[in-house]
C-alpha cells in the first residue's frame, strides 16, 4: 500500500514541501507538494532525488571504528567506547582547546544537529570551533552584528513585494536562494517583473539569474565593495538619501557620507569594470524605485572585502529608506528561534593561536585549522570532531588540511558517508537519512521571506540512533559522565534549561523528548504562541503572513540605534581605498554552483551526476585564444598553493580575465566508499584556493578572486 508523506526538503535553504510516496519501505515517487503553504508545488532535481539518497547502498548504516589502521564495522557500544578512549586522555592532558570541531553545512539543515550540536559544543567548550560559516556567510553576521547589534539579525529581501532588486554575487535560479529562504525563485522573480519591477544582477558571469534579469553588469571579482561605495557616493552627491521611517533610529550617516567621498563612480569604474555613467544610473534607479532592495550573497562574502561589501549592502538599504519596510530588506520573525536578547555584538574575545586571528561569532576561521594542527606548542589541536562537514573538499588549500589531519591523535566524524574527510576518522558515527528523522527548519526560517512554520515527522523508521542521542552520548563523554550515562536525564536537563530561559514550565511539553520537546518549548515561547501540536495538525505548514517591520525592537546595539558607521568596519576602509590605484590584468578564479550538486556530498546519487562532466574550468573565448586553450582540452590551473588539471569549457558567459571552477568535486581519493561519486570524480577546486587569503574582519576565506595561471596541460 502506498502512503504519501508531506516532507520539508532539508537539502537546501528553500525548504520546499515534498510529497513522498512510500510503498513497502521503498520511495516510489517524489513530487512538489502543491498544498505546501510556502513552496506551492515547486521542486528541484535534488529534492526529486531524495529517494535515491535514502536508498543509497553506500550511505553508512553502521558505525565504523579504526582497527589496525583500517575502518571496520563496529557496534554502537564499541564505537562510543572508542570515542571515549580516544578523547578522554587528550582532554585530561591538554584540555578542551586540544579538541577542534568542524561543523559543516548540513548540520544547519538538520534539527537534531542544530539543537543538540550546540549542547555538545558548549559542553566541550573548545575555542577551536570551526564551521562552514567562515567559508560562507560570516561577513554578513559580522556586518549585521555591528550595524544592528545582533549577528543573527540578517535582513532579507522582501522579494514578493519589492519593485527593484539589485542582486550581487548570487545565482538563486541555481542555488535556490541563500540567506533568503524562498522556494521557487524563478516564480518569485517572474512575479516581480510581471508587476513592473526590475531585476539587476551584478556578477562576473552571465548566470541563469543574470540571463533572466533586466540588466546584468559583469563585475571584476572582489570589487563589489568599490561598486557599492560608489552607489552610496551617488546617493549623497545627488541628494537622494532618505531614511524614511528610520529617521531618528540611525547613527553615523554623516560619517558614511565622508567615507564614500573618494569612491566616485569615475574612481571605481576602471577597477570594477563597470562604466561610471552606468553606476550613476544604477544608484538613481535604486533610489527612485520606491520599494527597492539590495541583496548580496556568496560572491560578495567569500572575497577579500566580504564584510565591507556586506555592510554596504545594508548601508544602501538604510540610505534609500528601504530597510525594515515592505518591499525592502526586512527582518523575519520566525515562529521558533534562538530568542532572548544578547549583549551588543563584538569580535576578538579570543584569537587563533598561530595567526592570531580574532574570533567572530564564537568561531575561528576554517582556513586556519590546518596550521593549528601542525604547529607545535602549547594549545596545539590534537583531535578533531567533524559534524556533517567535509572540510577536505570544502576549505581552502585542502591538501594542507588533509595532510594536517594525518597528524591528529584522534578524529571522530558524525556523517552519513565515508568520504574525502571522514575516511581519515578513527570513528565514524552515522546518522539517519533525511527521510528517517523528523525535521523542522529552525535555522532557515530565520531567513524566510515569509513567516512560515512546517513540521515533518520521520517518514520511515530506522535502526540507527537519532543524531541528538549520539550528540548527547558525546556530551556525556566529554563531560566525564561516560558513554554509559543516562541520556534521558541529560535530555531532561537540556529541556529544563530551554524552558527556564523562556519562563515556561518544562511540563507543558510533557510526553515529548528530544528535538520534539525542545521545538515545542521554543514554539510556545515564540511570537505566535504556537505548539508543536498545532504544526502536527497542519501537514502542509502554517502561514504566518508577510514580514512586518521590527525596528527598533530588533536592534541590540549599545546606542539602541542602527550604527551605520561601526568603528571596526570604518577601520577597514583604507584597505579598500588602496584598491583604487587601478585595474589589474591578473587572471582570477571564481567558483560556481550547479543545480544538481549540493556542495561536496550529493554526487553519489546517480540521477544527479549523469551526463557530461560538469567539473570544468570555464574560460572566455578571448582568454582561451590568448592562453592556447581549446574546448574539451585540459588546462593546468596553478595558484600560489597548488595546481590542478581540469577540462576546458569555452564560454562567453564568463568575463574576460576570469575563470570559474565549481567546488565540491575531487572524489578520486583512496579510502572513500562513495562508489558513484568516485566514478564521476571531478577535481577539487580547493586545491588551488589559498588559506592565507582572508576577509580581514570576519576571517572568511577568499574563494572568489584567487590569482591563477592557466596553461594547456
Ligand atoms: N572553492 C569553494 N569552496 C567552497 C565554496 C565555494 O563557493 N567555493 N562554498 C563554501 C560553502 S558556502 C559551504 S556551506 C561549504 C560546505 O562545505 P561543508 O561544510 O563541508 O558541507 P558539505 O560539503 O555540504 O558536506 C558536508 C558533509 O555532511 C554530510 N552530511 C549530509 N547530511 C548529513 C546529516 O544529516 N548528518 C550528518 N552527520 N552528516 C551529513 C555529508 O556526507 C558530507 O560529508 O563549502 C564551502 N566551500
Ligand atoms: N544546487 C545547489 N544549490 C545550492 C548549493 C549547491 O552546492 N548546489 N549550495 C548551497 C550553499 S551552501 C550556499 S552558501 C548557497 C549560495 O548561494 P548563491 O550565493 O546564490 O550561490 P552561487 O550560485 O555560488 O552564486 C554566487 C555567484 O557569485 C558570482 N561571483 C563570484 N565572485 C564574485 C564577485 O567577486 N562579485 C560578484 N558580484 N559576484 C561574484 C558567481 O559567478 C556566482 O554566480 O547555495 C546553496 N544552494
Ligand atoms: S530547491 Fe532545495 S529545498 Fe527545494 S526541492 Fe530543491 S533541494 Fe529541496
Ligand atoms: Mo554555504
Amino acid at each position: 500500500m502506498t502512503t504519501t508523506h508531506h516532507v520539508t526538503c532539508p537539502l537546501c535553504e528553500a525548504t520546499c514541501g515534498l510529497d513522498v510516496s512510500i510503498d513497502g519501505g521503498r520511495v516510489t515517487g517524489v513530487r512538489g507538494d502543491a498544498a505546501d503553504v510556502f513552496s506551492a508545488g515547486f521542486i528541484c532535481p535534488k529534492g526529486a532525488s531524495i529517494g535515491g539518497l535514502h536508498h543509497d547502498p553506500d550511505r553508512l548504516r553502521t558505525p565504523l571504528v579504526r582497527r589496525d589502521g583500517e575502518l571496520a564495522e563496529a557496534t554502537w557500544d564499541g564505537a562510543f567506547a572508542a570515542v571515549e578512549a580516544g578523547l578522554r586522555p587528550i582532554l585530561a592532558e591538554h584540555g578542551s582547546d586540544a579538541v577542534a570541531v568542524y561543523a559543516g553545512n548540513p548540520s544547519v539543515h538538520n534539527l537534531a544537529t542544530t539543537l543538540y550540536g550546540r549542547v555538545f559544543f558548549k559542553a566541550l567548550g573548545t575555542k577551536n570551533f570551526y564551521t562552514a560559516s567562515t567559508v560562507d556567510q560570516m561577513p554578513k553576521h559580522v556586518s549585521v552584528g555591528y550595524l544592528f547589534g545582533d549577528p543573527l539579525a540578517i535582513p532579507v529581501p522582501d522579494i514578493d513585494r519589492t519593485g527593484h532588486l539589485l542582486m550581487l554575487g548570487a545565482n538563486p535560479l541555481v542555488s535556490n536562494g541563500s540567506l533568503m529562504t524562498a522556494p521557487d525563485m524563478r516564480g518569485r522573480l517572474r512575479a516581480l517583473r510581471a508587476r513592473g519591477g526590475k531585476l539587476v544582477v551584478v556578477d562576473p558571469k552571465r548566470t541563469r539569474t543574470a540571463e533572466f534579469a533586466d540588466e546584468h553588469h559583469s563585475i571584476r571579482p572582489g570589487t563589489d565593495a568599490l561598486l557599492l561605495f560608489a552607489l552610496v557616493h551617488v546617493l549623497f552627491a545627488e541628494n537622494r538619501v532618505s531614511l524614511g521611517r528610520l529617521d531618528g533610529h540611525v547613527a553615523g550617516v554623516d560619517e558614511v557620507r565622508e567615507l564614500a567621498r573618494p569612491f566616485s563612480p569615475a574612481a571605481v569604474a576602471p577597477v570594477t569594470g563597470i562604466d561610471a555613467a552606468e553606476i550613476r544610473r544604477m544608484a538613481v534607479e535604486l533610489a527612485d524605485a520606491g520599494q527597492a532592495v539590495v541583496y548580496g550573497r556568496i560572491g560578495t562574502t567569500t572575497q577579500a572585502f566580504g564584510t565591507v561589501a556586506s555592510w554596504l549592502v545594508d548601508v544602501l538599504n538604510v540610505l534609500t529608506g528601504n530597510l525594515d519596510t515592505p518591499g525592502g530588506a526586512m527582518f523575519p520573525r520566525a515562529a521558533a528561534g534562538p530568542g532572548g536578547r544578547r549583549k551588543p555584538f563584538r569580535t576578538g574575545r579570543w584569537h587563533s593561536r598561530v595567526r592570531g586571528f580574532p574570533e567572530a561569532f564564537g568561531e575561528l576561521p576554517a582556513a586556519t585549522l590546518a596550521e593549528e594542527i601542525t604547529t607545535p606548542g602549547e594549545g596545539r589541536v590534537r583531535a578533531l570532531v567533524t559534524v556533517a562537514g567535509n572540510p577536505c573538499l570544502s576549505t581552502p588549500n585542502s591538501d594542507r588540511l588533509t595532510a594536517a589531519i594525518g597528524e591528529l591523535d584522534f578524529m571522530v566524524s558524525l556523517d552519513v558517508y565515508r568520504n574525502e574527510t571522514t575516511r581519515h576518522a578513527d570513528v565514524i558515527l552515522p546518522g539517519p537519512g533525511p527521510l528517517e528523522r523528523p525535521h523542522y527548519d529552525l535555522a532557515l526560517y530565520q531567513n524566510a521571506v515569509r513567516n512560515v512554520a512546517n513540521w515533518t515527522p520521520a517518514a520511515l523508521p530506522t535502526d540507527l540512533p537519532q543524531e541528538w542521542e549520539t550528540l548527547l552520548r558525546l556530551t556525556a563523554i566529554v563531560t566525564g559522565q561516560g558513554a554509559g550515562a543516562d541520556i534521558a536525564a541529560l535530555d531532561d536537563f537540556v529541556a529544563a534549561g530551554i524552558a527556564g530561559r523562556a519562563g515556561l514550565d518544562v511540563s507543558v511539553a510533557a510526553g515529548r523528548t528530544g528535538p520534539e520537546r525542545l521545538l515545542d518549548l521554543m514554539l510556545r515561547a515564540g511570537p505566535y504562541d504556537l505548539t508543536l501540536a498545532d504544526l502536527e495538525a497542519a501537514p502542509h505548514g502554517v502561514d504566518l503572513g508577510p514580514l512586518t517591520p521590527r525596528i527598533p525592537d530588533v536592534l541590540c546595539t549599545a546606542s539602541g540605534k542602527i550604527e551605520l558607521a561601526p568603528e571596526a568596519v570604518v577601520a577597514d576602509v583604507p584597505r579598500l581605498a588602496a584598491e583604487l590605484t587601478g585595474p589589474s590584468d591578473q587572471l582570477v578564479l571564481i567558483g560556481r554552483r550547479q543545480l544538481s550538486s549540493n556542495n561536496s556530498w550529493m554526487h553519489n546519487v546517480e540521477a544527479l551526476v549523469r551526463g557530461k562532466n560538469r567539473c570544468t574550468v570555464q574560460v572566455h573565448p578571448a582568454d582561451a585564444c590568448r592562453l592556447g586553450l581549446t574546448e574539451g582540452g585540459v588546462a593546468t590551473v596553478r595558484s600560489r598553493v597548488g595546481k590542478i588539471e581540469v577540462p576546458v569549457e569555452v564560454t562567453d558567459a564568463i568575463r574576460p580575465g576570469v575563470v570559474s571552477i565549481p567546488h565540491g568535486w575531487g572524489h578520486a581519493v583512496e579510502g572513500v566508499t562513495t562508489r558513484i561519486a568516485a566514478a564521476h570524480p571531478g577535481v577539487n577546486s580547493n586545491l588551488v584556493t589559498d588559506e592565507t587569503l582572508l576577509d580581514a574582519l570576519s576571517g572568511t576565506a577568499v574563494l572568489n578572486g584567487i590569482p591563477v595561471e592557466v596553461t594547456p596541460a
Side-chain angles (χ1 to χ4, degrees):
M1 196 194 66
T2 302
T3 51
T4 300
H5 300 255
H6 306 298
V7 167
T8 301
C9 177
L11 298 174
C12 89
E13 298 181 41
T15 72
C16 300
L18 307 178
D19 281 340
V20 180
S21 308
I22 296 177
D23 189 355
R26 292 220 51 99
V27 176
T28 53
V30 181
R31 287 187 319 278
D33 176 2
D36 184 278
V37 295
F38 200 16
S39 62
F42 180 79
I43 187 170
C44 87
K46 284 187 297 182
S49 68
I50 200 166
L53 196 59
H54 172 73
H55 292 297
D56 184 349
D58 296 339
R59 193 161 60 78
L60 299 178
R61 288 165 177 84
T62 325
L64 301 179
V65 174
R66 193 171 297 279
R67 294 213 174 81
D68 305 322
E70 296 296 322
L71 281 169
E73 291 191 359
T75 62
W76 280 93
D77 284 345
F80 285 121
V83 175
E84 187 151 21
L87 284 184
R88 285 302 311 163
I90 295 172
L91 288 167
E93 199 176 330
H94 303 285
S96 38
D97 294 343
V99 181
V101 169
Y102 178 87
N105 173 280
S107 67
V108 295
H109 296 260
N110 174 322
L111 184 62
T113 51
T114 304
L115 288 171
Y116 289 85
R118 234 176 262 171
V119 174
F120 167 59
F121 305 146
K122 206 165 168 226
L124 179 60
T126 179
K127 292 194 170 88
N128 283 301
F129 185 68
Y130 306 86
T131 82
S133 294
T134 54
V135 283
D136 189 347
Q137 84 288 356
M138 188 59 89
K140 200 70 205 176
H141 291 305
V142 171
S143 67
V144 302
Y146 287 131
L147 279 163
F148 312 125
D150 176 354
L152 288 172
I154 296 176
V156 302
D158 185 11
I159 187 108
D160 297 339
R161 289 182 289 185
T162 195
H164 185 104
L165 172 56
L166 170 58
M167 181 185 294
L168 305 97
N171 186 13
L173 292 194
V174 167
S175 69
N176 283 300
S178 182
L179 295 186
M180 167 176 67
T181 295
D184 188 15
M185 275 302 291
R186 186 177 289 275
R188 288 175 202 271
L189 291 175
R190 200 179 281 133
L192 159 72
R193 297 188 53 191
R195 59 180 182 264
K198 183 165 182 177
L199 172 64
V200 180
V201 170
V202 177
D203 197 302
K205 190 178 155 188
R206 195 173 65 246
T207 60
R208 274 190 205 202
T209 310
E211 198 80 70
F212 183 85
D214 298 273
E215 208 172 288
H216 168 222
H217 300 276
S218 188
I219 191 169
R220 202 166 68 77
T223 64
D224 298 79
L226 295 171
L227 169 67
L228 292 162
F229 242 140
L231 298 178
V232 172
H233 178 106
V234 175
L235 294 182
F236 281 112
E238 311 220 358
N239 274 323
R240 277 185 162 82
V241 170
S242 154
L243 302 184
R245 60 170 286 278
L246 293 182
D247 223 347
H249 293 293
V250 188
V253 175
D254 291 335
E255 213 176 333
V256 170
R257 177 203 307 265
E258 289 313 307
L259 284 172
R261 245 184 242 289
F263 300 95
S264 65
V268 308
V271 192
T272 57
I274 303 175
D275 187 68
E278 289 283 283
I279 296 174
R280 185 197 160 267
R281 185 178 56 77
M282 283 164 84
V284 169
E285 286 185 8
L286 180 74
D288 294 352
Q291 291 172 310
V293 60
V294 187
Y295 161 76
R297 204 43 200 98
I298 275 283
T300 60
T301 54
T302 52
Q303 54 146 293
F305 296 95
T307 302
V308 177
S310 299
W311 163 70
L312 287 166
V313 163
D314 286 321
V315 165
L316 282 165
N317 286 326
V318 170
L319 294 178
T320 52
N322 285 310
L323 186 86
D324 203 41
T325 57
M330 300 191 79
F331 299 97
R333 193 192 303 265
R341 193 168 275 218
R342 281 166 294 269
K343 291 191 207 101
F345 175 77
R346 66 194 186 95
T347 65
R349 291 167 298 171
W350 62 88
H351 291 77
S352 74
R353 181 178 61 105
V354 179
R355 237 186 283 179
F357 225 91
E359 148 284 335
F361 200 18
E363 301 185 21
L364 292 172
T368 64
L369 174 56
E371 71 210 27
E372 293 297 332
I373 299 171
T374 56
T375 309
E378 180 77 20
R380 182 172 84 82
V381 167
R382 293 158 195 272
L384 175 64
V385 183
T386 68
V387 179
N390 195 0
C392 290
L393 287 191
S394 314
T395 64
N397 196 355
S398 37
D399 241 4
R400 181 173 177 198
L401 179 64
T402 301
I405 281 178
E407 295 185 25
L408 291 168
D409 296 340
F410 187 73
M411 173 170 167
V412 49
S413 293
L414 272 68
D415 208 284
V416 294
Y417 285 110
R418 174 171 163 179
N419 60 18
E420 299 74 18
T421 298
T422 61
R423 69 188 168 122
H424 300 287
D426 297 289
V427 180
I428 307 181
L429 303 171
L435 297 173
E436 300 166 327
R437 59 176 196 242
H439 185 57
Y440 178 85
D441 251 307
L442 196 61
L444 301 170
Y445 289 148
Q446 314 299 324
N447 306 122
V449 300
R450 208 175 157 86
N451 293 313
V452 292
N454 203 334
W455 167 252
T456 301
L460 284 162
T462 176
D463 295 333
L464 291 167
Q466 292 291 330
E467 281 186 283
W468 65 272
E469 299 172 290
T470 299
L471 285 159
L472 286 181
R473 289 241 174 265
L474 295 181
T475 304
I477 289 172
V478 301
T479 52
Q481 302 167 64
D486 182 356
I487 291 307
L490 257 179
D491 188 35
D492 288 344
F493 180 77
V494 173
I498 288 192
R501 281 190 293 282
L504 292 168
D505 191 317
V506 70
S507 66
V508 295
R512 298 190 189 273
T513 57
E516 279 94 332
R517 175 165 52 177
L518 303 195
L519 179 62
D520 190 27
L521 290 168
M522 292 170 93
L523 287 166
R524 287 169 190 272
Y528 305 98
D529 291 325
L530 286 165
T531 67
L532 185 51
D534 296 330
L535 301 192
E536 284 166 335
H540 307 286
V542 175
D543 180 24
L544 301 163
L547 307 186
T548 50
R550 294 192 57 199
I551 283 179
D553 282 1
V554 78
L555 301 177
C556 159
T557 50
S559 62
K561 295 189 172 185
I562 298 172
E563 286 294 344
L564 208 60
E567 217 179 288
V569 180
V570 170
D572 202 28
V573 173
R575 188 173 65 98
L576 179 68
E579 297 285 301
L580 287 174
T581 48
S584 141
D585 53 11
Q586 170 66 53
L587 191 64
V588 292
L589 170 69
I590 62 169
R592 66 178 188 271
R593 278 176 167 69
Q594 301 176 310
L595 199 55
S596 298
S597 289
N598 201 7
N599 298 317
S600 76
W601 74 281
M602 284 185 68
H603 296 148
N604 209 52
V605 178
E606 185 70 49
L608 297 179
V609 284
R610 256 200 300 263
K612 62 177 200 250
N613 180 6
R614 306 198 297 266
C615 185
T616 58
V617 55
Q618 294 183 330
V619 186
H620 188 270
D623 289 325
C625 185
R626 178 170 63 87
L627 300 166
L629 303 168
T630 49
E631 173 79 22
V634 177
T636 303
V637 179
R638 267 190 202 81
S639 72
R640 183 194 73 83
V641 306
K643 62 169 189 183
I644 51 179
E645 295 196 343
V646 200
V648 174
E649 185 184 338
V650 178
T651 166
D652 68 3
I654 194 107
R655 185 185 157 83
V658 182
V659 297
S660 154
I661 309 177
H663 74 284
W665 296 90
H667 308 300
V669 295
E670 289 281 309
V672 301
T673 54
T674 41
R675 289 168 291 183
I676 292 169
H680 303 265
V683 181
N684 177 6
S685 67
N686 281 317
L687 295 176
V688 292
T689 56
D690 188 334
E691 85 284 16
T692 65
L693 302 178
L694 300 181
D695 166 41
L697 290 174
S698 68
T700 301
V702 176
L703 302 171
N704 288 296
I706 301 287
V708 287
E709 257 176 52
V710 183
T711 52

